[in-house]
Amino acid sequence: MILEEFDEERFKKNMREEGYEDGVNDKALEAAENLLRLNLLSVEQIAQVQGIPIEQVLKIKEKLSVKV
């Protein structure tokens, strides 16, 4: 028994929104990596400016130090 009808338009809208959010997050992480490479801001400042958790910035920083 189906409890709710499938709403294809709502499904597509939700998928677009999720894709947009993923893209925004990816860009924030990319920008954080670039800022770390420039070494102009602290980890805390980068997290605040990009709107991402400090833990994510620290992971990126660690990844960069391993590459070098």
Side-chain angles (χ1 to χ4, degrees):
M1 184 167 138
I2 297 176
L3 300 176
E4 185 178 320
E5 283 189 34
F6 179 72
D7 186 343
E8 186 175 357
E9 287 302 315
R10 190 170 76 188
F11 174 77
K12 287 180 180 179
K13 180 182 177 196
N14 287 340
M15 293 303 291
R16 282 191 301 271
E17 288 173 358
E18 287 177 19
Y20 176 80
E21 289 171 6
D22 289 344
V24 168
N25 188 52
D26 290 347
K27 280 296 186 186
L29 295 174
E30 183 180 327
E33 182 173 332
N34 291 334
L35 290 168
L36 285 167
R37 288 180 195 274
L38 292 173
N39 201 28
L40 298 174
L41 299 173
S42 70
V43 170
E44 292 82 9
Q45 290 170 321
I46 293 171
Q48 184 177 14
V49 168
Q50 293 304 318
I52 57 178
I54 291 174
E55 293 79 16
Q56 282 187 304
V57 180
L58 290 171
K59 285 181 185 179
I60 295 168
K61 185 176 181 179
E62 183 179 313
K63 182 182 82 171
L64 290 174
S65 65
V66 170
K67 285 185 178 180
V68 174

